Amino acid sequence: MTVTATSVDRPDRLQPPPAKGARARLIRLVPAFVSALSGVLLYVSFPPRTLWWLALPAFAGFAWALRGRTWKTALGLGYLFGLGFLLPLLVWTGVEVGPGPWIALVVIEAVYVALVGAGIAAVSRLPGRPVWAAALWTAGEAVRARMPFGGFPWGKVAFGQADGVFLPLAALGGTPVLGFGVVLCGFGLYEIVRLLLRRRDGEVRRSAAAVALLSVAVPVVGAVGARALVSDKAEAGTATVAVIQGNVPRAGLEFNAQRRAVLDYHARETRRLAAEVAAGKAPRPDFVLWPENSSDIDPFAAPDAAAVIQGAAEAIDAPVSVGSVVERDGELLNEQILWDPVKGPLQTYDKRQVQPFGEYLPMRSLIGAINSEWTSMVRQDFSRGDKPGVFGFGRVKVGLATCYEAAFDWAVRDTVTHGAQMISVPSNNATFDRSEMTYQQLAMSRVRAVEHSRTVTVPVTSGVSAVIMPDGRVARHTGMFVPAHLDMKVPLRTSETPATRLGILPELALLLVAAGGLGWAGAVAARGRRAGDA
């Protein structure tokens, strides 16, 4: 009987307890959970929240999850980070068209993050790993901003830092340097914690400790030093600018079927400002800025629309920049028109970076075969302009970057290099209702203000419209889905920041650093394989 009892007990002891096996599986899932959670943290660091500092623990957690992983595992972890970040960040893309395009966009964009994750894992065994890793992240953003279909820069780390201490780095080297500084600091933070934990078990190499500390210190010190580049000084005098937000009859895609009402609303709000000026309640503006799509009726083809715009310009007695949809020589153009109260239309600017799937449809026949509703929503593709937009309002030169263009470094920079003393970002966000899209785009304009040391105005059909000082501070803003206007004196500036002068060079330098890190990691791996074979 004793032998029988023993024979029954022993098989149970040969197998690990069920709880231990489940615990092991959960432990293996921890890196995946940390990657996804880190992506969510990065999303939470973006506007409308002012939790910019959460980007640091987000990248610290990402660094922990990727350290020492194989490239296949790192691909998966990077993809989870991308999903955690981009799924909530870009949810506004499905406000009116449903979840299909939103999910498709995120699934594609997260691939870039996955590839960056594989690269970061490869350099995670090298000395100076925070530098290589941060450069790789910047390289991933650079590629994502250019392809496919002209790129999609939305979600650059720099655009989440409008309220942060790192913002002055934008004046030093633009969004690539600002983003690199934030990511470097996050990876450096992880290295400091890792080395502190290792110190309990033994010596820590001084070089590794120095790299970790410098990875955190250099971006912070650089940002503090770059504050000298940020100034609100009026180098070329001032101008009184009026921003008109006429509002729309109702939110959504139906907005485009209410074109005359939208035009009338903006003319009415302009006349309301004119009445305030006549009564001495508001200063007379030197010029007036209407948003994108404020007149979707082509005033060159419709005399009644031209008469409404002319009447508004005469009432305020100032030139007006009007956002319109114009058909010229068989091409459909998203156009800004400088309309003088005496001479009528004087200048035009045609949007150069048109939005794929919004203003034109790539692979139209293929997409039409998949879903005919998408082709009906974009019946005719918009054509691209080919010249920078700089309107001359008398002595004042205003650079124009229409809505989506504000996300692209080149589209804003070349207005300044062509003489713009301030920048305007006319936009139409009515399609996206009250989503976070408006605040994300407003943050981009704040970063651009610091990047080029220019006042930036943001006239929006439905809000939030704003006037942003050259230091990135929002001086005045409207609410959403209300008729309103902003009328104030702003500084005009002519000097160029290092970011404006250098242009793409900082980004190219960081791309070379990323390539150098990958090359070094590849050489180390090859030596390891040869040693193993020997």
Side-chain angles (χ1 to χ4, degrees), residues 204 471 478:
V204 172
D471 63 356
T478 69

Side-chain angles (χ1 to χ4, degrees), residues 216-305:
V216 174
V218 169
V220 174
V221 173
V224 172
R227 291 182 65 181
L229 302 172
V230 180
S231 173
D232 288 346
K233 181 181 178 182
E235 297 171 327
T238 61
T240 300
V241 56
V243 172
I244 301 298
Q245 177 177 301
N247 201 17
V248 298
R250 59 181 181 272
L253 292 178
E254 296 82 2
F255 155 70
N256 291 316
Q258 305 164 49
R259 298 175 296 170
R260 180 53 191 265
V262 174
L263 171 58
D264 289 342
Y265 285 6
H266 284 82
R268 183 175 65 190
E269 190 63 26
T270 304
R271 290 193 297 269
R272 189 163 76 89
L273 171 60
E276 292 181 8
V277 171
K281 297 179 180 179
R284 181 174 298 281
D286 296 310
F287 51 91
V288 179
L289 302 172
W290 285 12
E292 178 189 34
N293 298 123
S294 46
S295 174
D296 270 354
I297 303 174
D298 182 353
F300 298 112
D304 58 332

